[in-house]
Amino acid sequence: MKPHYFKFYFLNTLLTIALCGAYCFLGGILNIVIGIMIAALLGTVMHREHIVLGVTNTLLILVVLTIFLGPLQALISGVPMILLGLTLALGTRVKMNMYYMILLCTVLYLLDLLVGLKLAGGDVTFSSMMLDSGSQMREMMQMYYPEPEYQALIEQVISATVDTMIMLAPAIFTIICTMLSYALISVYKKIQMVQKTDMSFLIPFGKLRAEKQFAILYLVLFVVITFAKEGLFVDAAANVLLILSFLFFALGLSVFNYKLKQGGTGSTMRKLLTAALICFSTMFFMIPFFALVLCGLTDAFFDYRGLSPKETQENNNRQNRL
């Protein structure tokens, strides 16, 4: 192993140990962030170093987690991070495109979530969590509106909200896992690029774009939900529609980001403006949100950035003629 490679591996391993220790003593959102970093670091070792070192760091993660959490919890927490790291490494080996990489990581996150709920026991389900949240919302609204005439309306609103959230649980879980997957891939890509690894096969955020088939599916599902009666099929269609709405919202942000870059806006300012747009997307009667969904949807048909192979070839030919 070359000296600079050994230095990187040594620092990677020390950081992995420190993060595993922090993972055992922290919780909530911090644990999610730490888990992403551990998986990204492990994926980097698996890809760049010898297979023996990859196995060594894998066992190291399990040993540290076992010391502080016990064998069962170490497997529950460690195996998903190891599988995610392995997916990143193998995806880099075969130059897997961004969309498939996100899909595979999302599936792993979903499996981890389902296994976690299963092992937590029958009393912990998404429905029970939503019912508890509904009870808290009911108490808070009754505190602000104690008048008797509002009680029936409050109960109706809370019941409808809880029922809708339970019905859309698969879509909500999928959206959360997709965001975690993109965050993981972004962190992994940054670490690899610091070590001068070619990561060009993972296209940047500003060049993400949907295929026409997904846009057509979205329009068909929208029509189905608008005119169909309630039922299991409509519930399933609503979940798919919500997932696609989130994806087209993200793709609308991608177009926005690309146009900012094309206009000469710096990287930091683009990130700030994109974050601000996300924060304000649910305001003003959600007009910004729907505008971005429409932008991402229509980009699949009109290719505003000229990213399709045909458009790219035509642009290259035009530049060569000039």
Side-chain angles (χ1 to χ4, degrees):
M1 184 185 296
K2 296 181 180 179
H4 65 283
Y5 282 153
F6 177 78
K7 180 181 178 181
F8 169 76
Y9 171 72
F10 182 71
L11 292 175
N12 186 314
T13 303
L14 286 180
L15 184 56
T16 298
I17 295 172
L19 289 171
C20 286
Y23 182 91
C24 297
F25 293 101
L26 299 174
I29 296 177
L30 284 176
N31 261 16
I32 295 175
V33 175
I34 292 172
I36 286 174
M37 296 177 67
I38 293 172
L41 289 170
L42 180 60
T44 307
V45 170
M46 288 179 169
H47 172 252
R48 292 180 57 85
E49 314 298 345
H50 194 276
I51 187 172
V52 174
L53 296 178
V55 173
T56 300
N57 280 38
T58 298
L59 294 175
L60 186 62
I61 291 172
L62 293 176
V63 168
V64 175
L65 294 178
T66 300
I67 291 172
F68 294 105
L69 301 178
L72 179 59
Q73 191 59 44
L75 289 174
I76 295 172
S77 302
V79 169
M81 291 188 284
I82 293 168
L83 291 176
L84 286 167
L86 181 61
T87 299
L88 294 172
L90 293 177
T92 306
R93 290 286 183 187
V94 300
K95 304 295 183 183
M96 185 182 296
N97 69 46
M98 176 68 84
Y99 305 108
Y100 288 128
M101 189 86 84
I102 292 175
L103 178 61
L104 285 177
C105 291
T106 299
V107 170
L108 288 174
Y109 270 118
L110 282 170
L111 290 174
D112 177 35
L113 184 61
L114 294 174
V115 170
L117 289 174
K118 185 71 175 178
L119 294 176
D123 295 333
V124 182
T125 63
F126 185 78
S127 298
S128 65
M129 289 188 290
M130 286 297 100
L131 290 172
D132 290 341
S133 299
S135 299
Q136 295 174 7
M137 291 171 58
R138 184 183 295 105
E139 293 175 1
M140 184 175 64
M141 293 184 70
Q142 288 174 346
M143 185 184 303
Y144 284 102
Y145 302 98
E147 294 81 4
E149 59 268 23
Y150 289 122
Q151 300 309 305
L153 179 60
I154 290 174
E155 186 63 34
Q156 184 178 359
V157 170
I158 295 298
S159 297
T161 302
V162 170
D163 290 343
T164 301
M165 293 294 288
I166 292 174
M167 186 265 288
L168 295 176
I172 295 171
F173 284 148
T174 302
I175 289 170
I176 293 172
C177 291
T178 302
M179 291 190 292
L180 291 175
S181 298
Y182 188 80
L184 170 64
I185 294 169
S186 298
V187 172
Y188 171 74
K189 183 179 178 181
K190 289 289 185 183
I191 295 173
Q192 288 280 43
M193 289 176 66
V194 168
Q195 296 299 310
K196 309 300 182 183
T197 303
D198 180 21
M199 302 297 289
S200 58
F201 64 95
L202 294 178
I203 58 176
F205 178 72
K207 291 188 177 182
L208 295 176
R209 178 174 176 264
E211 297 291 337
K212 290 182 181 179
Q213 296 90 322
F214 289 99
I216 294 172
L217 174 62
Y218 183 85
L219 295 174
V220 170
L221 289 175
F222 182 81
V223 172
V224 168
I225 292 176
T226 303
F227 295 102
K229 297 180 180 179
E230 294 183 2
L232 185 60
F233 175 77
V234 174
D235 291 349
N239 276 275
V240 177
L241 187 71
L242 180 58
I243 295 170
L244 290 176
S245 295
F246 164 75
L247 294 178
F248 283 120
F249 168 74
L251 294 174
L253 286 172
S254 174
V255 175
F256 175 74
N257 186 278
Y258 183 90
K259 292 299 182 181
L260 287 177
K261 183 177 181 180
Q262 203 173 39
T265 307
S267 175
T268 302
M269 183 56 66
R270 288 202 311 273
K271 291 176 181 177
L272 290 174
L273 291 173
T274 302
L277 191 56
I278 293 173
C279 294
F280 287 107
S281 61
T282 56
M283 301 177 66
F284 308 108
F285 304 100
M286 294 191 71
I287 291 176
F289 173 82
F290 292 120
L292 287 170
V293 171
L294 183 62
C295 179
L297 179 68
T298 54
D299 180 56
F301 295 103
F302 301 111
D303 193 11
Y304 300 132
R305 295 162 289 178
L307 299 178
S308 66
K310 181 179 179 181
E311 288 286 338
T312 303
Q313 184 62 40
E314 290 179 356
N315 291 336
N316 291 338
N317 293 337
R318 193 177 300 113
Q319 291 176 0
N320 291 334
R321 288 196 297 270
L322 293 175

